[in-house]
Amino acid sequence: MPLVTMKEILEEARKGKYGVGAFNINNMEFLQGIIEAAEEEKSPVIIAVSEGAMKYAGVEYIYAMVKVAAEKASVPVALHLDHGKHWDKIVLAIRNGFTSVMIDASDKPFDENVAITNKVVDLAHAVGVTVEAELGRLAGVEDIVNVDEKEAILTNPEDAKRFVELTDVDALAVAVGTSHGAYKFKGEPKLDIERVKTIADLVQIPLVLHGASGVIPEIVELATKYGAKLPGAKGVPDDQIKLAIEAGICKINIDTDLRLAFLAAVRRELTEKPENFDPRKYLGPGREMVKEVVKKKMRLFGSSGKAA
Ligand code: G3H
Ligand code: 13P
Ligand code: ZN
């Protein structure tokens, strides 16, 4: 089917109280792995593309690939700009057929974040593109040393309410103790679930969890067995993700887990078959491992079967 907007996917998720994964891609193999998983799980899916991914692959290539993938698929697929920070990149994404964009002005003061977000909302909504904004700073709980700092970094529920009243965003990313990458926690991996609940009670739009990778121990072990160096890598456990969804999270962003899955498979192939020089023989297993991880995520998030 043709590409859909993120809003269409997330409004259903919010009503049905399940989560939908936004999975980052930079190339064809990741996209194919994710779409195959979505088809097999009968799950809606959001394909996320960062500014860096647009630069790496070229926005026209990205759009062409995702358009074909969506049209061939029988499940809803949205194409979303992840962490749009520059006006020209946001315009580029919209002009090239993205159905959704994120404006990330979370590093700016509240009023400035509102003003920048509104500018993007005006442009995007005029052409039927939906918008995600972010309030609060993604920082691992380990980096937060005291209560004052915690309040300054994590999303303040009253601010979230005001932000949504002052903007017309379609989804809001909140900071509740996750961070990007493979090293999220030194100690106990725990999110501020109460904060999610409070925000969800005050804000009537879908909430987004960034930095949601689990840094799956078996995958890290496999990659390490074949030479990767990832000491101390730790992510968000599955039970915390479940609690976050129950508390009101609708969109769950996953990049690191797919990078690690692909890495583990490619390393294994290259190590076990050093005589091979056909790229399909190591990129294919990478794609397969991405697919397996995405399928597990869809079951965990509760989106499996929702596009049946
Ligand atoms: O949140 C950011 C995503 O993981 C994308 O990362 O900017 O390296 O493409 P990237
Ligand atoms: P991870 O690094 O936990 O996969 O987070 C990805 C993300 O938030 C993309 O926006
Ligand atoms: Zn993110």
Side-chain angles (χ1 to χ4, degrees):
M1 61 176 80
L3 282 164
V4 302
T5 64
M6 174 189 71
K7 184 180 172 138
E8 288 165 66
I9 291 178
L10 292 186
E11 287 298 347
E12 287 299 311
R14 187 161 172 271
K15 270 190 254 157
K17 295 189 187 309
Y18 58 90
V20 176
F23 300 100
N24 287 77
I25 66 155
N26 289 273
N27 65 11
M28 184 186 75
E29 280 77 10
F30 279 65
L31 173 64
Q32 289 175 330
I34 296 161
I35 296 288
E36 279 175 29
E39 285 273 44
E40 286 180 23
E41 289 298 316
K42 302 200 181 336
S43 168
V45 69
I46 297 165
I47 301 297
V49 176
S50 68
E51 290 187 356
M54 286 206 296
K55 184 164 179 229
Y56 174 78
V59 65
E60 299 91 345
Y61 283 85
I62 292 273
Y63 175 69
M65 282 194 306
V66 180
K67 177 178 182 282
V68 168
E71 281 171 358
K72 284 181 71 180
S74 57
V75 297
V77 179
L79 174 56
H80 174 73
L81 173 67
D82 190 28
H83 292 285
K85 283 188 178 265
H86 302 92
W87 177 252
D88 59 333
K89 299 295 183 302
I90 290 169
V91 172
L92 189 69
I94 292 175
R95 283 197 64 152
N96 278 280
F98 281 50
T99 56
S100 172
V101 292
M102 175 184 186
I103 166 64
D104 179 359
S106 59
D107 57 341
K108 301 283 192 298
F110 183 89
D111 291 341
E112 215 178 315
N113 190 350
V114 167
I116 295 169
T117 299
N118 272 331
K119 194 175 158 200
V120 171
V121 168
D122 284 348
L123 170 72
H125 282 184
V127 290
V129 168
T130 54
V131 181
E132 170 186 341
E134 177 166 327
L135 190 63
R137 272 184 21 234
L138 291 198
V141 278
E142 304 294 329
D143 301 328
I144 301 173
V145 290
N146 58 44
V147 176
D148 286 352
E149 203 182 29
K150 181 173 169 182
E151 289 311 316
I153 289 174
L154 301 187
T155 307
N156 175 285
E158 287 299 331
D159 283 353
K161 181 171 187 276
R162 229 156 38 89
F163 189 89
V164 171
E165 282 164 3
L166 292 169
T167 61
D168 195 15
V169 284
D170 304 290
L172 183 69
V174 292
V176 292
T178 59
S179 59
H180 290 117
Y183 303 92
K184 300 187 195 295
F185 308 95
K186 287 189 200 84
E188 194 193 357
K190 216 167 169 305
L191 308 188
D192 192 340
I193 300 294
E194 280 310 310
R195 191 175 297 266
V196 178
K197 279 190 196 145
T198 312
I199 299 171
D201 283 343
L202 294 170
V203 166
Q204 304 307 311
I205 60 170
L207 300 179
V208 182
L209 185 66
H210 282 250
S213 278
V215 188
I216 304 163
E218 305 87 82
I219 299 272
V220 172
E221 222 172 273
L222 186 66
T224 304
K225 180 178 166 194
Y226 289 107
K229 290 205 167 27
L230 302 158
K234 199 191 276 186
V236 186
D238 287 357
D239 68 315
Q240 293 288 303
I241 295 290
K242 272 201 162 144
L243 291 173
I245 294 168
E246 278 167 30
I249 292 289
C250 299
K251 172 173 177 272
I252 300 135
N253 283 20
I254 303 287
D255 186 357
T256 298
D257 277 344
L258 307 191
R259 293 179 180 200
L260 292 172
F262 195 80
L263 175 82
V266 170
R267 277 192 170 277
R268 183 188 59 204
E269 296 308 310
L270 292 177
T271 308
E272 287 192 343
K273 295 166 200 143
E275 70 287 354
N276 170 53
F277 58 91
D278 177 347
R280 294 168 296 194
K281 300 265 168 57
Y282 51 87
L283 298 180
R287 174 172 65 188
E288 198 55 33
M289 193 76 97
V290 165
K291 176 177 157 183
E292 288 315 311
V293 167
V294 172
K295 287 182 74 164
K296 285 192 187 130
K297 297 288 176 194
M298 288 169 164
R299 286 179 217 146
L300 173 68
F301 302 162
S303 66
S304 292
K306 299 295 192 228

